[in-house]
Amino acid sequence: MTELPEILRLTDIGENRYRVFQPSKTAEGRDVVFSGQLLSQMIMASDAAARSAKDVRSVHAIFARAGTYTKPIELEVESMQS
């Protein structure tokens, strides 16, 4: 695969800030973003912020509330170790 799927493409909106792609319809048929989708987009944002200089070794995430398809999702990357 030479191109990333559209769902993994991010829009750079500022320093270490990204807007994620949202399909027009959810695959689950309800207005809740699948956590695996968001986790994948978080990894892509982290990679973009580090300019592909680091590899993912471990992932820890807590989803405190559901994402919605009716509002844009923005990610902000904060480096904890460089």
Side-chain angles (χ1 to χ4, degrees), residues 2 14 17 22 24 27 33 39 43-44 47 56 58 67 81-82:
T2 57
R17 294 181 57 85
Q22 289 291 83
S24 58
V33 176
L39 190 56
I43 290 170
M44 296 304 296
D47 184 64
V56 175
S58 179
Q81 182 178 356
S82 58

Side-chain angles (χ1 to χ4, degrees), residues 40-55:
S40 299
Q41 291 166 328
M42 290 165 54
I43 290 170
M44 296 304 296
S46 176
D47 184 64
R51 293 174 180 70
S52 299
K54 293 184 167 256
D55 294 327

Side-chain angles (χ1 to χ4, degrees), residues 20-80:
V20 303
F21 171 78
Q22 289 291 83
S24 58
K25 287 182 85 173
T26 173
E28 297 179 348
R30 56 192 183 115
D31 188 26
V32 177
V33 176
F34 172 59
S35 60
Q37 170 191 326
L38 189 54
L39 190 56
S40 299
Q41 291 166 328
M42 290 165 54
I43 290 170
M44 296 304 296
S46 176
D47 184 64
R51 293 174 180 70
S52 299
K54 293 184 167 256
D55 294 327
V56 175
R57 301 281 186 209
S58 179
V59 177
H60 305 272
I62 296 173
F63 299 97
R65 55 189 165 162
T68 176
Y69 277 92
T70 59
K71 296 180 183 174
I73 295 177
E74 294 181 3
L75 303 173
E76 182 175 356
V77 178
E78 179 183 341
S79 178
M80 300 183 85

